[in-house]
Amino acid sequence: MNKIRIPTITVLVSSLLFSLISINFSFDFSLLAFPVSAAGSLFLCYYLFFKLYKKNDYKALKISIKLLQYIPFVLLASFILRRAGKNGTYYWYDFISVLLWCSVFISSLVLLYLFDEKRIELVNPEWKNILSKSKKSLIKSFDFSAKKLFFEVLDWVDALLQAVFMVLLIQIFILQLYVIPSESMVPSFLIGDRVVVTKTASGPKFPLSQVGFPCLKTYKRGDVIVFRNPHYSLDRKSEVRTVISQIVYMLTFTKVNLNVDEMGEPKADPLVKRICGEPGEQLLMQDGVLYSRIESDNEFRPVLSDSVFATWNLNEVGSNVKSGIKTFPLNQDEYDLMLFLEKKRREYNIFESYAECQNLYLKMKNLNRNNKKSHEQDIDLSLADDFIFRNYIPYSQYILSSEKGLDWYKSFMLSWAEKGRFGYVYNPSSVDKATFTSLQKENRTIGDFNGDLYAEANYKLNMMIKVCLGKLYLRTAELISNGVVDSNVIIEDSNIQALRSEAYSLKFYLSILDQRNMPVFPESKNGKPDYIPEGSYFMMGDNRFNSLDMRHSYKYSLVPLTDKDPYSVQYHSNMAPQYVDKKYILGSAKFRFLPLNRVGSVKTR
C-alpha cells in the first residue's frame, strides 16, 4: 500500500486544487468548468481514497481504475470550458492550471501502471484476485441477456471514448495525420493524400492558452508546414469554435465539421504550404521567379532553391501525378502564350511607344475634328479592365463624337509621359539629347525603380495594353467615321479582329497576373527596404497557379497596374502579401503514408 500513497495523494490534491481554481462566476460556458472538474475530482476522491485506500473496500478497485483513466480528460474539458467564456484568463493562471493538470496526468498514469493485473499483487495480492474474477465474469457465459448486451455496448463506448481522447492528446502535442484538402501543393501533394505532421518541436500549446511546450524547431526555406490560416479571424471566439469543432469532428468520426465560414463552407484552416521567405529578407516575384534581398545586400537576387519546388506548368508533370490532378489552371497553349507575352513585355521599348501614342492621339484628334459632336451627355469611361476591353465600340463612339471623350483619350494615351509627373519623364524634350539617346539605346525607363522588377514590369504592361487599345479605339472610330454603324460589321473587320485577339491575350495575362507575380514584400517605407521580422515566415503553395497562399487575400478590389500613371489600366486584384508569426505554425509535414503508390518522405531541400 505504501507504493501507491504518494501518487494517490498527488492525484487527489492536484485534481481538487484544479477544481478550486476553475471556479468562475461569469454567466456563460465558463460557468460549467467548476462543476465538471469538481464532479470528477470528488468521485475520484470518494472511491480511490475513502472506499479503496481507507476502508479497504476492494470492490471499488475497478471503479477507481476507470476514474483514473478519465480524470485527465475531464479536467482538460474543464480547462477548455473555463477559457471558452467571454472573458479570458491570465497567463499565470493558465500556467498553474497546466501544472496541476500535468501532475494529475502523470500521477494517474503511475497508479494505472501499478494497478495493472501483472503488477498489482506487489501493491496488494487480494486486488489481483478481484481483477481476475472480474475478467473471468465477462467471458464465463454466452448469455445474451439485455443486461449482458448493455454492458458489452458500454465497454465498447468506454474504449472508444478513451481512444478518442488519447488521439486528441496525441494530435495536440505529438503528431497529427493530415488529409490534403486542395491542389495548392501539387505535385508534392494531391487531394486526399495523407501526411504525418510532427508537432512537438513546433511548441504545441494547451487549447485556448499560450501555455505549452517551447518551440524548439528552426524553420528553413523549403520546409513544408501546417499553420493556422491568418485570413480568418483568430480572436477568442473563433478559437473556441475551432477547438470545439475539432473535438466534435473526432467524436463523429469526421462526419460533422463545425469549423465553417459565414457561407457554411468548411474553412481552409489549417493550411499546408512551403516556407519561401525567411526572417531578414525582402521578396518579390516576377515572371515566376522569386527574388530576395537582405539588409547587407541591396540587390534583389533570384532564389534558386525556390525554383526546385515552384510548379507553373502542370502539363509537364510526371504521368503518375498528372493522372491524379483534377484542375489544370492553364493548358499548354495558354502557358506558351503567357511566356510569349512576358518576353514581349521584357523587350518592350518605352521610347518607341511614346511616339506611337502621340501618333495615335493626333489621328484620333483629326477624326474627332471632322465628326459632328453628337454626344450631349457624358458617359463614364471606366479604366477597369472589364470595361476598356469589352466596351471598345461605345468608347470609340464617345471619343469620336465629343470633346470630353477626346480629352479622355489624350489623357489615357499620354498622361504617363507628361513632363515631371511622379518623377518619371519620358518626353524627349524634358531631358538632354545625350541622356535620352543613351536611355533609348539601352531601352531603360527614365526614373528609379530601385531594383523593383515588379513595378517596372507592370509599368510596361500598362503601356502595352494602352497602345493596343489605342489602336483598337482608333480603328473602330475610323470605321464609324466611314459610316459603319453595324457592330457586327465592325467586329468582322480584319484589323479589328487582329487587335481584339491581341487585346484579349493581354486581358488573359491580367487575369493571371497575381498568381504569376508578387510586388516587393514587405513594402519599402520612405524609400528604405523593410524586411520579414524575426520569428516570422512567408509561405506559398508549390502549385503557384492554383494556390491561394500568403500572397493573396480572399477579397478582390480594383487597383491600378501602376501608380506612376493617373490613367493606369485597372484590374481586379487580391494581392495582399503577409508573413506569418511562428506561433501560428502547428507542425511540420514529414511523411506521406497514403496513397501507397506515393509513400515517402516530404522533400524539403
Side-chain angles (χ1 to χ4, degrees):
M1 295 291 288
N2 291 332
K3 292 180 180 293
I4 65 169
R5 178 177 300 171
I6 293 178
T8 299
I9 294 174
T10 302
V11 72
L12 295 177
V13 172
S14 297
S15 62
L16 289 171
L17 287 176
F18 185 98
S19 300
L20 288 175
I21 66 172
S22 297
I23 295 175
N24 182 43
F25 299 101
S26 298
F27 290 95
D28 51 36
F29 278 112
S30 59
L31 191 65
L32 298 174
F34 173 70
V36 167
S37 58
S41 300
L42 291 175
F43 271 110
L44 182 64
C45 188
Y46 174 74
Y47 280 99
L48 181 62
F49 185 73
F50 289 103
K51 297 280 285 181
L52 182 62
Y53 192 80
K54 283 294 184 181
K55 296 183 178 181
N56 290 323
D57 185 355
Y58 301 143
K59 294 180 180 180
L61 177 60
K62 280 204 68 180
I63 299 177
S64 297
I65 291 175
K66 196 60 63 180
L67 288 171
L68 286 170
Q69 290 172 343
Y70 275 98
I71 191 63
F73 306 121
V74 171
L75 298 188
L76 183 62
S78 173
F79 183 91
I80 295 172
L81 286 170
R82 179 65 181 86
R83 285 141 192 85
K86 292 180 288 186
N87 301 317
T89 51
Y90 294 108
Y91 178 85
W92 62 265
Y93 188 91
D94 290 341
F95 184 76
I96 293 174
S97 299
V98 168
L99 285 180
L100 290 172
W101 184 89
C102 290
S103 176
V104 170
F105 183 66
I106 294 171
S107 54
S108 63
L109 288 179
V110 171
L111 286 172
L112 289 171
Y113 176 81
L114 294 173
F115 287 167
D116 185 86
E117 187 178 355
K118 297 176 181 178
R119 306 175 190 88
I120 199 168
E121 65 178 347
L122 299 177
V123 178
N124 190 322
E126 295 183 26
W127 290 4
K128 184 176 182 179
N129 296 329
I130 294 173
L131 289 179
S132 299
K133 290 178 181 179
S134 176
K135 184 176 180 180
K136 290 177 181 178
S137 66
L138 291 176
I139 59 174
K140 68 181 180 179
S141 72
F142 292 94
D143 180 17
F144 292 100
S145 63
K147 184 177 180 181
K148 172 76 172 178
L149 181 62
F150 172 77
F151 282 105
E152 285 286 347
V153 172
L154 199 62
D155 279 342
W156 277 101
V157 172
D158 169 51
L160 180 63
L161 285 176
Q162 289 196 51
V164 168
F165 288 134
M166 188 56 65
V167 169
L168 181 64
L169 284 180
I170 292 172
Q171 287 193 348
I172 292 174
F173 297 108
I174 302 175
L175 59 83
Q176 185 170 2
L177 306 182
Y178 188 76
V179 181
I180 301 300
S182 72
E183 293 188 326
S184 67
M185 286 294 289
V186 170
S188 298
F189 301 127
L190 296 173
I191 292 176
D193 282 4
R194 267 68 171 177
V195 297
V196 176
V197 177
T198 59
K199 306 183 79 171
T200 305
S202 296
K205 303 293 186 286
F206 276 75
L208 304 179
S209 79
Q210 292 301 313
V211 181
F213 293 100
C215 182
L216 303 175
K217 185 172 178 59
T218 301
Y219 300 100
K220 296 293 183 182
R221 193 191 325 274
D223 288 345
V224 177
I225 60 169
V226 174
F227 61 101
R228 297 299 309 278
N229 190 343
H231 293 112
Y232 297 120
S233 173
L234 297 178
D235 57 16
R236 280 182 45 75
K237 184 177 180 180
S238 63
E239 290 297 274
V240 169
R241 187 179 184 88
T242 298
V243 170
I244 293 175
S245 69
Q246 288 175 343
I247 296 173
V248 172
Y249 191 69
M250 290 185 59
L251 290 173
T252 59
F253 301 99
T254 73
K255 297 298 183 182
V256 178
N257 185 3
L258 301 178
N259 196 25
V260 296
D261 58 22
E262 59 273 9
M263 303 300 293
E265 296 295 325
K267 286 184 176 180
D269 185 32
L271 295 174
V272 54
K273 306 292 180 190
R274 195 179 296 275
I275 292 179
C276 299
E278 301 181 66
E281 290 185 316
Q282 187 178 46
L283 308 170
L284 75 81
M285 189 161 63
Q286 187 57 48
D287 296 348
V289 178
L290 182 67
Y291 295 84
S292 168
R293 69 177 172 189
I294 56 178
E295 194 168 0
S296 59
D297 184 359
N298 198 42
E299 183 179 348
F300 279 107
R301 302 182 185 278
V303 181
L304 299 179
S305 60
D306 184 71
S307 63
V308 175
F309 304 108
T311 302
W312 296 102
N313 189 4
L314 295 185
N315 302 285
E316 297 178 346
V317 301
S319 58
N320 63 321
V321 175
K322 193 173 183 179
S323 60
I325 299 175
K326 301 181 184 299
T327 303
F328 289 80
L330 302 182
N331 59 41
Q332 189 61 48
D333 289 340
E334 289 172 329
Y335 188 79
D336 292 340
L337 174 60
M338 176 197 73
L339 296 181
F340 169 78
L341 291 172
E342 289 179 343
K343 182 176 184 294
K344 182 178 178 180
R345 188 213 63 238
R346 287 192 294 269
E347 297 172 353
Y348 193 73
N349 193 306
I350 287 288
F351 300 94
E352 291 178 0
S353 69
Y354 174 75
E356 192 167 17
C357 287
Q358 282 188 319
N359 187 44
L360 289 170
Y361 165 67
L362 291 175
K363 288 182 178 180
M364 184 68 83
K365 183 178 180 182
N366 288 332
L367 287 175
N368 177 277
R369 184 184 297 118
N370 297 326
N371 275 268
K372 182 180 178 180
K373 304 302 180 283
S374 58
H375 277 274
E376 296 180 357
Q377 294 183 344
D378 296 335
I379 67 172
D380 180 22
L381 296 175
S382 171
L383 293 165
D385 58 346
D386 289 346
F387 292 92
I388 57 177
F389 288 103
R390 185 177 66 240
N391 297 334
Y392 65 93
I393 293 179
Y395 272 45
S396 300
Q397 289 173 328
Y398 185 63
I399 294 168
L400 178 65
S401 56
S402 75
E403 291 295 337
K404 288 187 177 180
L406 181 64
D407 288 342
W408 180 89
Y409 185 78
K410 178 183 179 181
S411 298
F412 182 71
M413 299 304 298
L414 296 171
S415 62
W416 61 278
E418 291 181 6
K419 181 179 180 180
R421 184 180 293 280
F422 299 102
Y424 285 77
V425 185
Y426 291 106
N427 193 331
S429 63
S430 65
V431 294
D432 64 86
K433 188 174 182 179
T435 301
F436 182 81
T437 302
S438 173
L439 291 166
Q440 186 176 23
K441 183 177 180 180
E442 299 175 16
N443 188 23
R444 286 201 296 116
T445 53
I446 303 175
D448 184 13
F449 280 103
N450 192 31
D452 189 343
L453 302 176
Y454 178 88
E456 187 167 0
N458 279 11
Y459 196 91
K460 286 186 175 183
L461 179 61
N462 180 59
M463 282 312 308
M464 289 172 64
I465 295 172
K466 286 194 168 193
V467 170
C468 176
L469 291 175
K471 292 177 181 178
L472 182 61
Y473 295 162
L474 177 62
R475 179 55 184 166
T476 305
E478 288 174 345
L479 293 172
I480 296 172
S481 180
N482 290 330
V484 179
V485 293
D486 188 341
S487 60
N488 289 326
V489 176
I490 294 174
I491 292 172
E492 291 173 0
D493 178 77
S494 59
N495 290 329
I496 291 293
Q497 288 184 355
L499 289 168
R500 274 166 51 94
S501 176
E502 181 183 353
Y504 282 100
S505 293
L506 291 167
K507 190 177 188 306
F508 155 74
Y509 189 76
L510 274 182
S511 70
I512 61 174
L513 185 69
D514 283 2
Q515 303 298 120
R516 182 68 169 167
N517 310 290
M518 183 181 73
V520 171
F521 173 77
E523 185 178 2
S524 297
K525 298 175 182 177
N526 300 319
K528 295 183 179 180
D530 195 15
Y531 303 96
I532 299 174
E534 192 64 35
S536 296
Y537 301 87
F538 179 75
M539 294 78 159
M540 289 191 286
D542 289 351
N543 183 7
R544 297 288 161 83
F545 273 131
N546 198 12
S547 175
L548 277 176
D549 47 45
M550 294 304 99
R551 293 173 290 170
H552 312 111
S553 72
Y554 288 175
K555 295 181 179 179
Y556 285 83
S557 58
L558 201 61
V559 300
L561 263 176
T562 173
D563 59 1
K564 308 305 180 186
D565 179 5
Y567 279 76
S568 169
V569 173
Q570 298 174 351
Y571 75 108
H572 291 84
S573 170
N574 66 339
M575 184 67 73
Q578 61 178 308
Y579 45 74
V580 178
D581 192 293
K582 70 177 182 180
K583 69 181 179 181
Y584 295 120
I585 298 177
L586 302 178
S588 301
K590 294 294 186 182
F591 188 80
R592 179 178 52 245
F593 63 94
L594 284 176
L596 295 178
N597 64 333
R598 300 182 64 241
V599 170
S601 59
V602 177
K603 186 177 179 181
T604 59
R605 298 290 184 271

